[in-house]
Amino acid sequence: MSATPSSILWRASSRETIDAPPLSRDTDVDLLVIGGGFTGTSAALQAARSGASVCLLEAETFGYGGSGRNVGLVNAGLWLPPDRIVEQLGEAEGGRLIDVLGQGPGDVFALIEREAIQCEATRSGTLHLAHSQAGVNDLKERCRQGTRHGAPLRLLNREDTELRTGTNAFSGALFDPRAGTIHPLAYCQGLARAAQAQGSAICEHSKVTALTRDGDRWRAVANGHRVRARHVIVATNAYHLGLNAPFTPAFTVVNYCQFATAPLPPAVRETILPNGEGCWDTAMVMSSIRLDQAGRLIVGGVGSMEHRGKDFHLSWARRKLRQLYPQLPAASFDYAWSGRIAMTDDHIPKIVKFGPNAYSVFGYSGRGIAPGTVFGKALADTLLLEPHGDLPLATTEHYAERFSRAKAYYYEFGAKLVHGVSARL
């Protein structure tokens, strides 16, 4: 193992495979989907199952972006507590979004079962960990709000949290039994494989360079070929790679890095997250912990492994591991990687209707798996079904954010600063 690991665990361990050659000819379809992450593959699968002709174009490989670099926590709802969502969207729209996304994990796990996706699906719930007494107070309020909206949440005290996590580093936790963990890249690849089996034309290494209106159709150009479509979904999220289109998603990039150990010895593994929950904490600069099916312990935190200063994050992760689990034989990692999160100002996703039969969806703010799956399916239904399906969120025709670059720098600098001094023994 190298001193500075750099490969992505999910790419090395996915059991899903797919043959998706680059776009090599002109084509006409009902629906064009641009972007092969959770949203795009979900939309393509749903559209194909409804009988529509579909072309899904991915600039790199399926799950290349955030979907293949994800922590893999299938959470219910958004990062925001319910009252904040209602405050920003209103009682009716906010309540509808809370209800729809509360059922999101169920939708994900049902899809996995229906399509026989090999993605280490584990529905053991998630733990939101209190890093301090202030974190406990935050979780109490989140529990109060969530249960008022029908969520089956349960607060755990310090002792119960230690039993579930195998560490005494946390003051309590909020348990959500609706949630779980998956191998995120395998899930994304499995959705693409299922969409292909339903008749979708799915193409990797097919970067769309231009999207324009052509009479009553949309016209996209990729690999020197054109795709004409009645409907289009732009699902590039934080990896909008040089596409010249009528609308460009607006968001602040937040990077999140992860570090995976070798498989733990069986005796040690039995004491760490024995029930298999995925976890994240209440700290201002958030961190996460989980196990994969092979027993690798994965530690994550805000920050990029692709920028200068990545050694701050790697050193932090080693210290964090020693702090949480001093019983481990060595604080070392076999894999290290990071991905981009598209963060909106209000932490609520955006659906922009930028032209006739054309939508762009983005800004999951770190909650991509269940919302991406739900939004992709809903967009396909809205475009293709008669009567139209219902979207979980009202659309807008324009969306912009100010000072995105400055805010992205602030988040990365803050993570380096915190990781430079925290978790020291």
Side-chain angles (χ1 to χ4, degrees), residues 5-28:
S6 59
S7 56
I8 299 174
L9 167 64
W10 307 130
R11 293 184 188 173
S13 60
S14 177
R15 296 174 62 193
E16 284 285 344
T17 59
I18 189 165
D19 182 21
L23 182 70
S24 59
R25 62 181 179 87
D26 295 349
T27 187
D28 287 67

Side-chain angles (χ1 to χ4, degrees), residues 79-80 84 88 250-252 342-350 362-363 365 399-404 407-408 411:
W79 180 76
L80 290 177
R84 288 281 303 281
Q88 295 187 58
F251 49 81
T252 296
M343 185 84 72
T344 59
D345 272 344
D346 57 7
H347 305 300
I348 292 177
K350 307 301 172 192
F362 56 94
S365 298
Y399 182 75
E401 290 204 9
R402 301 177 64 192
F403 310 119
S404 292
K407 288 184 289 186
Y411 285 125

Side-chain angles (χ1 to χ4, degrees), residues 13 33 44 97 108 166 172 180 194 209 215 239 298 314 363:
S13 60
V33 181
L97 183 62
V108 169
T209 54
Y239 287 78
I298 306 166
L314 179 59

Side-chain angles (χ1 to χ4, degrees), residues 159-178:
E159 291 73 23
D160 287 340
T161 302
E162 183 174 351
L163 285 173
R164 285 179 178 260
T165 60
T167 175
N168 62 5
F170 300 103
S171 303
L174 184 61
F175 175 62
D176 189 342
R178 299 171 295 177

Side-chain angles (χ1 to χ4, degrees), residues 209-228:
T209 54
L211 177 67
T212 56
R213 191 71 176 159
D214 183 9
D216 64 346
R217 299 285 181 116
W218 289 95
R219 183 178 186 273
V221 177
N223 296 346
H225 300 282
R226 63 117 181 103
V227 178
R228 296 182 74 245

Side-chain angles (χ1 to χ4, degrees), residues 10 38 70-76 105-106 108-110 112 117-127 175-187 258 269 273-280 288-296 298 369-370:
W10 307 130
F38 300 131
N70 197 280
V71 177
L73 305 188
V74 189
N75 282 306
V108 169
F109 288 105
I112 291 168
I117 300 174
Q118 301 180 77
C119 63
E120 305 182 11
T122 305
R123 199 172 188 184
S124 298
T126 53
L127 296 170
F175 175 62
D176 189 342
R178 299 171 295 177
T181 62
I182 59 173
H183 186 302
L185 178 58
Y187 173 60
Q258 295 181 76
R269 182 179 178 181
L273 296 170
N275 299 324
E277 302 98 335
C279 311
W280 77 104
S288 59
I289 51 173
R290 63 159 295 187
L291 291 169
D292 74 348
Q293 201 167 73
R296 300 179 183 90
I298 306 166
I369 297 176

